[in-house]
Amino acid sequence: GAAAPVAYRILNHVQDSLFARDVAELGAWRLNAGARWTRVDEKSYDPGSGALLADDAMNRVMPELGILRRLGPDASLYASYSEGLELGGLAPAGTNNAEAVMPDQIARQFELGAKRRFDGLLASVAAFRAWRPYAFIDPNNNYVQSGREIHTGIEAGAAGEAVPGVNVQASATYMRAVQAGTGTSAYNGATVPDVPDFSAALFADAALPFAPKAGIFAGWRFSSSKQVLPDGSVSVPGYQVVDAGLRWAFALDGERISLRFSVDNLFDVRYWRDVAQQYLFEGLSRSETLSASVDF
């Protein structure tokens, strides 16, 4: 008979961390400072034979810094810088080094922003720049980690009660995500795949005046076009998706019951949710969900 399939472990990752954080205030100023020490022991193995390929250890101290200036009771300005440790990517099927594990990477981000409260609505705007090592499939069909991907943009948002009985959450982001130092001239300066230049979302929930324990809600999601290949030669179009639903809460035998009916992708839009160099993931078609929960 056929031999039984064999499964090999391709990665063994052990991470220990210790962190400290403190907050100091002086008048209208507040300073947040912290650091995380992380030790990583990582072994990667050949997916075909199980043989040890790499045995790496890393010690890293990653800072977190933030400063905030209050401008009265309802507004503030802030700036922050942080570093974080992320697992390396896994080479996808079809590449020459499929299932190879890339080294761990340090992601860094700087942000400068402002917040302001308008009655029940909290509004914010922030400019940011984030960068980390870049993993991609090179022209020789090898999955490699080389150079950096750099994300620079501005984001605005608002959340809270816009008018009595209507709560909203809204956000909009403009971002340029580019590749740099990849070792492949056609990729340098091109947009990172699967990252739209512009995205936005809006969600609203409104109580029904004739039935205070019932309400309607709706959401809207937008994404501009996204690149599929790192050289920018193939892209997928943007999309807009609308969701909607009803909610109702009532008491039965002393128990609080909540019913919720929602329709995702109300207009049954066909769109590509996520893209990669070798894959396209289609967004879900229209779907209906009815759920109930009981609070004991």
Side-chain angles (χ1 to χ4, degrees):
V6 177
Y8 292 109
R9 175 183 295 182
I10 62 173
L11 178 68
N12 186 57
H13 180 95
V14 178
Q15 185 177 132
D16 298 306
S17 294
L18 179 66
F19 64 91
R21 185 178 294 112
D22 196 13
V23 178
E25 296 201 26
L26 180 61
W29 295 89
R30 185 175 72 187
L31 175 66
N32 299 276
R36 177 186 295 269
W37 168 81
T38 299
R39 174 178 172 79
V40 175
D41 288 302
E42 185 173 277
K43 296 180 175 65
S44 59
Y45 304 88
D46 183 89
S49 65
L52 181 66
L53 294 178
D55 186 352
D56 299 317
M58 179 179 69
N59 286 278
R60 178 81 185 194
V61 177
M62 294 165 289
E64 298 178 14
L65 299 171
I67 187 169
L68 180 142
R69 175 69 161 87
R70 283 186 289 272
L71 305 175
D74 299 320
S76 61
L77 300 174
Y78 70 91
S80 66
Y81 173 80
S82 62
E83 296 183 1
L85 180 67
E86 299 180 355
L87 289 175
L90 183 69
T95 56
N96 296 332
N97 58 336
E99 298 186 342
V101 180
M102 298 296 105
D104 295 330
Q105 54 191 21
I106 301 296
R108 300 172 173 86
Q109 177 166 318
F110 175 76
E111 185 173 319
L112 179 65
K115 296 182 180 181
R116 173 70 189 272
R117 182 171 294 280
F118 300 90
D119 296 326
L121 197 67
L122 179 63
S124 63
V125 61
F128 60 88
R129 185 177 180 88
W131 59 99
R132 65 179 180 182
Y134 183 46
F136 60 97
I137 302 173
D138 70 11
N140 297 317
N141 198 36
N142 294 310
Y143 188 72
V144 298
Q145 184 170 292
S146 178
R148 297 184 299 170
E149 56 178 285
I150 305 168
H151 300 242
T152 306
I154 185 168
E155 180 178 24
E161 191 174 43
V163 297
V166 179
N167 287 283
V168 300
Q169 293 181 354
S171 65
T173 303
Y174 174 77
M175 178 169 57
R176 284 289 293 148
V178 298
Q179 308 157 83
T182 65
T184 302
S185 59
Y187 296 176
N188 294 333
T191 300
V192 175
D194 200 33
V195 180
D197 285 347
F198 186 75
S199 61
L202 173 64
F203 177 83
D205 182 291
L208 297 177
F210 54 84
K213 295 184 179 180
I216 59 175
F217 56 88
W220 168 77
R221 292 170 282 145
F222 169 80
S223 172
S224 63
S225 63
K226 296 186 285 189
Q227 298 297 329
V228 178
L229 300 178
D231 63 3
S233 60
V234 178
S235 64
V236 295
Y239 63 84
Q240 300 184 61
V241 176
V242 174
D243 309 315
L246 302 169
R247 58 174 176 81
W248 181 35
F250 60 94
L252 181 65
D253 293 333
E255 308 294 349
R256 187 175 184 275
I257 300 176
S258 298
L259 296 178
R260 186 181 179 94
F261 174 72
S262 61
V263 182
D264 296 330
N265 194 356
L266 181 64
F267 301 110
D268 202 22
V269 175
R270 302 297 180 182
Y271 66 99
W272 299 113
R273 185 197 69 203
D274 298 301
V275 301
Q277 287 180 254
Q278 293 183 314
Y279 306 100
L280 296 175
F281 297 94
E282 187 175 7
L284 294 176
S285 57
R286 181 171 53 225
S287 61
E288 298 82 21
T289 304
L290 177 63
S291 62
S293 62
V294 180
D295 293 335
F296 295 98

